[in-house]
Amino acid sequence: MAKLGKTKLDSGWLAARSTEVEQTGIQLTTTHPPTSSSPPWMEAVVPGTVLGTLLKNKLVPDPFYGLENEAILDIADSGREYYTFWFFTTFQCKVSGNRHVDLNFRAVNYSAEVYVNGHKMVLPKGMFRRHSLDITDILYPDGNNLLAVIVHPPDHPGEIPPKGGQGGDHEIGKDVAAQYVEGWDWMTPIRDRNTGIWDEVSIYVIGPVTIGDPHLVSTFFDNYKRAYLHATIELENRNSWVADCTLTIQVTTELEEDTSLLEHFQTQHLSISANARTHYTFPPLFFYKPNLWWPNGMGKQFLYNVEITVDVKGHGESDSWEHQFGFRKIESTIDPATGGRLFKVNGQPVFIRGGNWILSDGLLRLSRKRYQTDIKFHADMNFNMIRCWGGGLAERPEFYQYCDIYGLLVWQEFWITGDCDGRGIPVSNPNGPLDHELFLLCARDTIKLLRNHPSLSLWVGGNEQTPPEDINTALQNDLKLHPYFQSSNKINEHLKDFSDPSQYLDGTRSYVQGSMWDGFANGQGDFTDGPYEIQNPEDFFKDDFYNYGFNPEVGSVGMPVAATIRATMPPEGWQIPLLRKNSDGSEEEVPNPIWKYHKYIGYSNQKVLDQIDLYGSAKDLDDFCEKAQLVNYIQYRALLEGWTSRMWTKYTGVLIWKTQNPWTGLRGQFYDHLHDQTAGFYGCRCAAEPIHVQLNLSTYNIEVVNTTSDELSGIAVEASVWDLDGKCPYYKVTEKLSVPAKRTQTIIEMKYPKSKNPKPVYFLLLKLFRILDSSILSRNLYWLHLKGGDYKLLEQYRTKKIPLKITSKIFIEGSKYKVQMLVKNTNKSPDSIKFSLKNHIVGIHENNCHNIISSEPERCTEENHKAGLFKRIYQCFAKEDNGLRTVETNGTDSGVAFFLHFSVHATKKDKKDGEETRILPVHYSDNYFSLVPGETMPVNISFEVPLGVTPRVTLRGWNYHTGHTIN
């Protein structure tokens, strides 16, 4: 007998092209079911797409490799029938009595007919809607059931113009579907337009009464000391008799693994009429000083577990629902000082530093594991917001669950984007999708699916365009704020005069009609986002770089490492760009055809000299990509530091276009599709730390950034300049300082470049430290050249042999590895300088959680409450515990160990030349770092290895080519 609850149907599926299957759906699920993966049937990817299934069976080339996508037949040429597919599986389910069974599809693209044991049902159109089918009466008595689904592509898949473009010919905009699939300036077309059962399929067993779409809302009073949890649920009685029900809501907190504390338990009784639906609102649950949920960098992401159960008299438990919930209040208004959109969480302003997100994978190969890596990467970069762009997905609950865990605020757009909805060449349909009611149905269903996640912070009508007037008006009405959430003044008012906020469709977070309206860009919908190309780093700090308070899109380069190019392109794609001089004197990169196809964006333009060439002409792919990482680091650190320099005085936030690519693209990314980070990742991580010391590249003032809600006091800044010979011609420590909360403060002007005989290329190391115990709050190293100069002297710096001491300790649990590294530049500091600090780095924040009182770092991940990661690493090494491995490398030169970076590889005895050996993904506490003489850096590395693989960790650098390896 089937147990209550959900069973996923995510394995054992077969698929076949509909034109190659002679049987009907009735026959497939009665007399002629397929029995094996013999033609025309094949193993299917569910959840997934038709193209994903074809790729799994090697019936199409890999569309993400080289130019192979061009060899796949496009739906515009094949016709929709070519990508219309049958999907078939069997499932076990046997019920009796008053139990019911639903067959649930969380999303299908674009429509489908479902057959269960010879019975036909229809899944209507729309990519972003849930479907639930009651199959109780058609299950076979023996419990062996057959399921077949024929899935049809979008109605308007469109054609791809010869020159491509934003959204192809824009026809896909007539459907309620993802619009990126016809291609964009960062994406190649998806040949099947993502046709398939692309999200979770499940069997759900329930009793006589079911729970539908609970809505949880928190309200606060007395400066967040008192809180209430509100809950409204929909109940359905599927039987022809009155159901006497007992409703239970309980709230627990996890103390440690397998141990929870019961915070609240409430029981209510009600009766539900026969074959009726009703909404029920629980009396609010009171909490005193609840643990609050905070965005990344502002505190912990505390989550409570809420469970709602319905029991029916005479039948026992009928249905239950469970969700993690965070107590927090999100506000979003236009800041009168800057005109930018201002976000507040729990009454505290949040300076937004985040990125634009398309989707995890262009073929919708979505998984919980991949989502976790994606979102943790964003948290590791110290970002606090992700914008889900309107041409992509209504992101899945798993995406939001990890944003809840890691503290990423989410701006979720609906499926409107300018090029497909009123712009472009040819000009697209300005009225959005053809079926406005379908759009609104999908929107309302999406709101119900996602509204309980604390990370969800904003609804937006569309990208660079507003929805058609009737849709926009409906969304504004559907998403109107409850009176309590309309003003922060309501924090101390009683709710007795208002309806319960959980009775709203949402009511807790704002709706904005478009990405360039109401506090974003110029707020009027004009094209005032961007730019999207390489910039001179100092320009980000200048008054005239960007004139508005919140830039929703500013983009730049994103070249990955050479190993990724080799893994995703044939040898003809390994040719680096040629540098061509134009008649106006500007330089232009000419990439090879494969790079061009993969949307490469150059490192120069009409106003910016080639930033790679500043280091000397690239010799080959490895040289080009290594120099590109130097540029990536500088570019994105400068971008974020330039915005943060004007925190609250000019800007309220910025979102970088974009953080990643859903395929093997070559622009705008901090990690590639294989999950290897670029150096830009670590430039962002540095620049966006909650407490940060930085150099204003325009004024050469040293600034301290404090984004926390506590004043910094008893601090000082150490500035040291290091030349290429390892000498320190400039050293200064400031007097005792204090920096107010939520403030960027200018400290001193850097005098070195104005001094006598400055070096043409030099390193500047800034450290912000606490005077009392010398603990370092922020560390930031720049490589700089004099005005009008370049970095070509660094080319000869590669030959330096800097002595290093590398200590490692490895922890293994099954297939999971944690490696703790300690890297020291064993050059002695110049005797002429008396340094005020110990040169080991023991920070007070890790993974962006910050506690200004303690020097113990806090880790804001799923392993919450494990204190003092960096400090424990350092102490571990200092004690020379058993299991440590120490290697000292010989080197006779003094100087900075420059741009060191770790990588993890599989150990292979017969490794072929150019063979991919990287183990990905890997999480590093830092990477692409540099060490001045005497300085030590702890790096924590974690990863998982495939079965039977022995990993090795390798360290390389600009002037460290030994490739030290730890097995």
Side-chain angles (χ1 to χ4, degrees), residues 669-681:
Q669 60 185 354
F670 298 125
Y671 59 91
D672 59 44
H673 189 259
L674 305 181
H675 273 155
D676 200 356
Q677 301 103 329
T678 72
F681 183 106

Side-chain angles (χ1 to χ4, degrees), residues 619-853:
K619 303 176 185 67
D620 53 26
L621 179 65
D622 291 285
D623 191 31
F624 182 91
C625 290
E626 187 172 18
K627 288 172 178 173
Q629 299 318 309
L630 291 164
V631 180
N632 291 347
Y633 191 102
I634 289 177
Q635 182 77 179
Y636 287 109
R637 177 177 61 180
L639 189 160
L640 286 181
E641 287 183 341
W643 246 270
T644 309
S645 180
R646 303 295 184 85
M647 178 173 66
W648 308 129
T649 60
K650 185 176 182 182
Y651 301 129
T652 59
V654 61
L655 298 175
I656 298 174
W657 183 266
K658 48 193 176 23
T659 57
Q660 43 74 247
N661 275 301
W663 77 304
T664 49
L666 299 180
R667 70 191 308 163
Q669 60 185 354
F670 298 125
Y671 59 91
D672 59 44
H673 189 259
L674 305 181
H675 273 155
D676 200 356
Q677 301 103 329
T678 72
F681 183 106
Y682 296 96
C684 284
R685 180 181 174 88
C686 172
E689 57 187 349
I691 293 174
H692 182 61
V693 60
Q694 66 185 37
L695 178 69
N696 185 310
L697 295 177
S698 178
T699 64
Y700 264 59
N701 288 329
I702 294 174
E703 301 168 342
V704 171
V705 179
N706 179 14
T707 65
T708 75
S709 55
D710 297 302
E711 180 187 34
L712 289 176
S713 58
I715 59 170
V717 173
E718 178 192 69
S720 56
V721 170
W722 301 81
D723 64 22
L724 298 185
D725 296 320
K727 296 177 182 177
C728 183
Y730 177 90
Y731 178 80
K732 182 175 181 61
V733 177
T734 66
E735 300 295 325
K736 186 176 181 181
L737 304 168
S738 62
V739 179
K742 310 285 184 183
R743 179 78 62 82
T744 297
Q745 186 163 301
T746 298
I747 305 302
I748 55 170
E749 182 185 358
M750 262 299 295
K751 298 292 187 181
Y752 176 75
K754 297 179 181 179
S755 62
K756 293 180 181 179
N757 303 317
K759 300 291 184 177
V761 176
Y762 60 95
F763 302 98
L764 170 64
L765 176 60
L766 302 177
K767 292 182 182 179
L768 176 68
F769 66 98
R770 198 177 265 128
I771 292 173
L772 182 64
D773 59 5
S774 295
S775 60
I776 298 174
L777 308 179
S778 174
R779 174 191 179 275
N780 197 353
L781 185 137
Y782 296 82
W783 52 103
L784 300 164
H785 62 70
L786 298 183
K787 190 173 182 179
D790 56 40
Y791 294 113
K792 288 185 171 63
L793 285 175
L794 284 175
E795 189 66 44
Q796 63 196 53
Y797 201 60
R798 282 176 157 177
T799 61
K800 288 264 188 181
K801 293 185 177 179
I802 309 297
L804 296 178
K805 180 180 179 181
I806 306 161
T807 310
S808 62
K809 188 167 187 179
I810 303 173
F811 303 87
I812 306 172
E813 185 180 341
S815 62
K816 295 181 179 179
Y817 281 68
K818 289 187 177 180
V819 182
Q820 296 176 345
M821 309 292 299
L822 201 69
V823 184
K824 181 176 183 179
N825 180 341
T826 54
N827 268 288
K828 292 184 178 179
S829 302
D831 293 335
S832 59
I833 300 294
K834 183 181 180 183
F835 287 92
S836 62
L837 299 183
K838 298 175 181 179
N839 269 340
H840 63 261
I841 301 165
V842 182
I844 69 160
H845 53 87
E846 161 62 0
N847 280 344
N848 322 312
C849 220
H850 189 78
N851 182 341
I852 199 66
I853 303 302

